[in-house]
Amino acid sequence: MDVFGVLIGLVLLFGIATLVLAVVGTVKAAKAVAAKVEKHEANARRAVETATLKAKTYTKIGPPAQIANVRLALRTSLDGTRQVLEGGLAQDGQLGESLALLTRLDAHAAELDGELRVLEREPDTARIAAKLPELRERAERITHAAETMRWAAQDRMHRFADDELSRLSQECESEAGALRHWDTAGGPGAGASGSRPGPRSASGSGTGSGPAAGGAGTGGAPGAPGAARAGLTDGRGRPSAEDLLALADPLAKLAQRLRKPSTGPSAG
């Protein structure tokens, strides 16, 4: 009787644990789905608001058009800066601090956008004329701060790209010199003695840095030579033209048919 009681208790514990795990998993999945839906909903709402502001700049006249222009310029500047910073964050971790500042700046922009929406519904034109210059000046300050960070991030990326390109050009010139070993090795006496310099050895003896030397780049900067970067024409992971047109197998079979059989060594 005691054995059956223990077994029943274990089964109950296992069932309770399974139920708890199922509930926890369901709650986590529901939260993830809700967060994804909320994100897509926010993006869709933002796109609709941007399109509405653009339409107002063309269809409205007077203060409503001016308010729409201020709101659209504020939104466009912040969105452009966020895209630049988030796009370069993977290569440059220091842009995370700029993103934090942009988040704080975005909060001020949201408050200002709310005030502009309230002013847009104001029926008193005299109050609109009195409040709009102040709100426009605040929007210009926020826009200038966001543009300053965006331009600095762009200049930083451009500078690192130029530095890496300069190092890569020097390594390519060194490799080209190593490949032309007959121009640099030997000298006048080598041709008279009849000895020809051999190709560059695997240890990299020659003019200096070859591919092995070029692989050891200086770390710390974004876009360092040691980082794996996808090339424009390297073709890694891309199908060939024959694969895209489904001609690989027919071409191979045609080549086998046209290939002449070997006749073996001649008797003479």
Side-chain angles (χ1 to χ4, degrees):
M1 192 67 182
D2 294 337
V3 176
F4 287 108
V6 171
L7 291 176
I8 293 174
L10 291 177
V11 170
L12 290 176
L13 288 176
F14 180 75
I16 293 173
T18 304
L19 181 61
V20 170
L21 290 177
V23 171
V24 171
T26 304
V27 171
K28 288 185 177 180
K31 288 183 178 180
V33 172
K36 186 176 294 186
V37 170
E38 184 178 359
K39 181 180 179 181
H40 288 293
E41 182 181 358
N43 292 334
R45 188 187 310 113
R46 194 170 185 86
V48 171
E49 291 177 356
T50 302
T52 304
L53 289 176
K54 289 182 180 179
K56 287 182 179 179
T57 58
Y58 293 106
T59 58
K60 299 290 185 179
I61 58 174
Q66 297 176 7
I67 295 174
N69 276 321
V70 173
R71 294 180 61 195
L72 182 61
L74 187 65
R75 190 183 300 264
T76 303
S77 178
L78 290 172
D79 285 342
T81 303
R82 184 174 297 278
Q83 290 177 4
V84 170
L85 296 181
E86 290 179 350
L89 185 61
Q91 288 79 24
D92 189 359
Q94 191 171 351
L95 295 180
E97 300 178 3
S98 302
L99 270 175
L101 291 176
L102 183 65
T103 301
R104 295 169 55 187
L105 194 65
D106 201 0
H108 287 279
E111 295 178 359
L112 178 59
D113 188 73
E115 296 181 18
L116 288 169
R117 285 200 304 268
V118 172
L119 189 64
E120 194 175 13
R121 296 188 294 267
E122 175 63 41
D124 189 358
T125 56
R127 181 170 176 79
I128 294 176
K131 293 288 294 182
L132 186 56
E134 176 189 354
L135 298 180
R136 183 186 287 114
E137 191 270 338
R138 286 173 56 189
E140 289 176 353
R141 290 171 58 188
I142 295 175
T143 301
H144 177 70
E147 289 176 348
T148 301
M149 284 195 299
R150 182 173 72 249
W151 295 336
Q154 290 173 347
D155 293 342
R156 180 180 175 88
M157 296 175 189
H158 181 70
R159 176 62 182 271
F160 284 134
D162 285 345
D163 292 343
E164 183 183 356
L165 182 58
S166 298
R167 290 193 301 267
L168 185 58
S169 298
Q170 293 177 359
E171 293 174 3
C172 290
E173 291 178 0
S174 300
E175 179 67 17
L179 293 175
R180 294 191 182 96
H181 55 81
W182 58 87
D183 290 340
T184 57
S193 61
S195 61
R196 299 176 58 188
R200 185 182 51 163
S201 62
S203 62
S205 60
T207 59
S209 61
T218 58
R229 302 173 62 182
L232 180 64
T233 58
D234 55 1
R236 288 181 295 180
R238 303 173 184 173
S240 62
E242 292 83 359
D243 294 334
L244 289 175
L245 298 175
L247 296 177
D249 293 339
L251 289 178
K253 294 179 179 179
L254 181 60
Q256 291 178 359
R257 292 180 181 178
L258 294 179
R259 189 180 297 115
K260 294 182 180 180
S262 176
T263 56
S266 59

